[in-house]
Amino acid sequence: MVAPTARVTTIERFILDQEEKYPEATGELSNLLYDIALAAKIIAASIRRAGLVNILGSAGATNVQGEEQQKLDVFANQTLTQALNHTGRVCVMASEEDETIIPVPDNYPVGRYVVLYDPLDGSSNIDVNGAVGTIFSIYRRVTTQGPGCLEDVLQPGCKQVAAGYVIYGSSTMLIYSTGQGVAGFTLDPSIGEFLLSHSRIVTPRVGRYYSVNESNFARWSKGTQWAVRGFHGDRPEEIRGKNSRYIGSLVADFHRNLLAGGIFMYPADTKNRHGKLRLLYECSPMAFIAEQAGGSATDGTRRILDIVPTELHERTPLVIGSREDVGYVADTLRRMGEE
Ligand code: AHM
Ligand code: MG
């Protein structure tokens, strides 16, 4: 082993340093972030072994969205829930994989925070060794006593106190924001620590890439089709053409575009009238990160972070990424009368 040449900052050190800037901070949010980082390490270790221990494939159950659940989804969901439910830091949780809110078990103390998660996003990529991710979103509770309830969970994204994601790719990275910019950490598997690798992520104003499932093209609105034609290079007077990149794993597509610049879209179509992605577990946390990195996120007309959810598993169209590219799509939709 060679000694590090630059200063090494663990995620624990970084979170503590951030907290010291706020004398009123109790440390509870920091501890919650450690809990999530620990769960991420456990999930990462399991994903790394997935191809070896013959645990791939369907668990034979379907989740609340009617989609097939795979074993690692179940494992990731349990890992996160168990990392959080006994700590006294959360009052209620909700997961993309569970039909209803997840209460804190009776024998454990109830805390001030609400945590929502998509434990393993992009899970159709697992069988083919593609990148997957975990997305998380943290709110303060709004009710004042007793166990947390649905009201605590159904908050607009602008109320998030922190959000982030973990990408299980060629490296495992944890990206998060508490509203003071976006920082990124890379897991060093040899020492089991997330080390600061991206101290302040700022996304380019104009991106190189566009990411969208174009097999839905015929089912999109005229405005969406028109906007995407611009990305093809068909409207050079309005926008320069871009390169297409689509993995079908939101975390991986978003992460590439965040670092290199680009736009990700999952628009509504005639089959998915509200798009495919879930507001609470996918769109709001990613929108929080995008904005904190200087990008933006809209459903086409409304800022994602302003949408007040009415249902736990609500879906919304999503247009997210480099600010000018998102603005171009929103302008195109407006001009085509699709407000
Ligand atoms: P999941 O939460 O069931 O894994 O689905 C979400 C995924 C996203 O990661 C990805 O962006 C999208 O679904 C891909 O959908 P499609 O295959 O329709 O392009
Ligand atoms: Mg998902």
Side-chain angles (χ1 to χ4, degrees):
M1 260 213 163
V2 183
T5 48
R7 206 179 81 154
V8 175
T9 305
T10 63
I11 195 164
E12 278 84 356
R13 183 72 256 159
F14 184 86
I15 292 171
L16 276 175
D17 287 349
Q18 295 289 103
E19 189 187 301
E20 277 164 14
K21 295 181 192 154
Y22 301 91
E24 70 284 2
T26 60
E28 247 179 295
L29 179 61
S30 302
N31 286 326
L32 199 47
L33 291 166
Y34 302 155
D35 297 338
I36 292 171
L38 173 64
K41 285 194 260 186
I42 297 170
I43 297 168
S46 170
I47 287 174
R48 230 182 12 251
R49 288 192 306 266
L52 299 171
V53 294
N54 197 24
I55 60 166
L56 287 181
S58 164
T62 52
N63 71 9
V64 289
Q65 325 285 343
E67 295 151 335
E68 200 173 60
Q69 224 175 37
Q70 294 174 305
K71 279 187 181 170
L72 275 170
D73 298 37
V74 179
F75 176 83
N77 196 29
Q78 282 172 0
T79 302
L80 268 159
T81 305
Q82 282 163 11
L84 296 166
N85 68 4
H86 63 281
T87 60
R89 297 188 253 280
V90 298
C91 67
V92 67
M93 293 156 290
S95 162
E96 191 189 292
E97 298 293 338
D98 285 276
E99 193 163 356
T100 54
I101 54 173
I102 308 166
V104 170
D106 283 344
N107 45 335
Y108 293 124
V110 167
R112 291 196 295 154
Y113 290 100
V114 177
V115 187
L116 317 187
Y117 37 89
D118 181 352
L120 206 62
D121 183 68
S123 50
S124 65
N125 281 277
I126 294 169
D127 285 350
V128 294
N129 202 7
V132 288
T134 295
I135 309 172
F136 61 91
S137 167
I138 304 177
Y139 294 86
R140 255 185 218 100
R141 71 179 299 178
V142 288
T143 55
T144 51
Q145 56 187 6
C149 61
L150 193 58
E151 188 187 343
D152 295 306
V153 171
L154 296 182
Q155 299 191 51
C158 57
K159 299 279 188 203
Q160 288 171 107
V161 291
Y165 62 85
V166 183
I167 175 168
Y168 310 100
S170 45
S171 303
T172 297
M173 284 190 74
L174 190 152
I175 310 292
Y176 84 93
S177 174
T178 53
Q180 318 291 323
V182 179
F185 303 81
T186 302
L187 182 64
D188 181 338
S190 64
I191 56 169
E193 290 277 11
F194 278 108
L195 304 179
L196 181 65
S197 51
H198 298 67
S199 55
R200 189 166 186 111
I201 297 175
V202 177
T203 198
R205 288 186 71 79
V206 181
R208 279 194 273 160
Y209 300 118
Y210 78 98
S211 308
V212 66
N213 184 343
E214 295 213 50
S215 68
N216 295 324
F217 193 93
R219 289 190 287 271
W220 290 338
S221 69
K222 288 279 171 283
T224 301
Q225 291 181 341
W226 195 244
V228 171
R229 286 207 175 101
F231 297 144
H232 294 169
D234 291 354
R235 300 166 61 199
E237 67 291 348
E238 280 183 55
I239 188 163
R240 269 180 73 173
K242 298 187 187 299
N243 264 327
S244 166
R245 293 282 186 279
Y246 191 72
I247 297 170
S249 183
L250 171 66
V251 170
D253 282 310
F254 176 87
H255 183 70
R256 178 197 50 247
N257 293 352
L258 181 75
L259 296 185
I263 183 168
F264 173 95
M265 297 171 61
Y266 210 110
D269 60 53
T270 52
K271 261 199 339 211
N272 304 292
R273 301 226 163 253
H274 302 284
K276 178 184 181 193
L277 302 177
R278 294 78 171 171
L279 177 61
L280 286 170
Y281 316 107
E282 292 163 329
C283 303
S284 283
M286 290 313 213
F288 189 80
I289 296 289
E291 288 199 5
Q292 284 294 319
S296 65
T298 168
D299 69 351
T301 56
R302 290 174 297 176
R303 179 183 176 228
I304 291 289
L305 295 184
D306 287 338
I307 301 175
V308 181
T310 54
E311 280 174 46
L312 202 51
H313 293 287
E314 183 168 331
R315 296 172 195 258
T316 177
L318 178 67
V319 180
I320 189 167
S322 292
R323 182 168 287 274
E324 287 190 17
D325 298 328
V326 173
Y328 154 78
V329 173
D331 286 348
T332 305
L333 297 179
R334 196 172 310 120
R335 275 207 313 275
M336 305 278 291
E338 291 182 14
E339 286 179 86

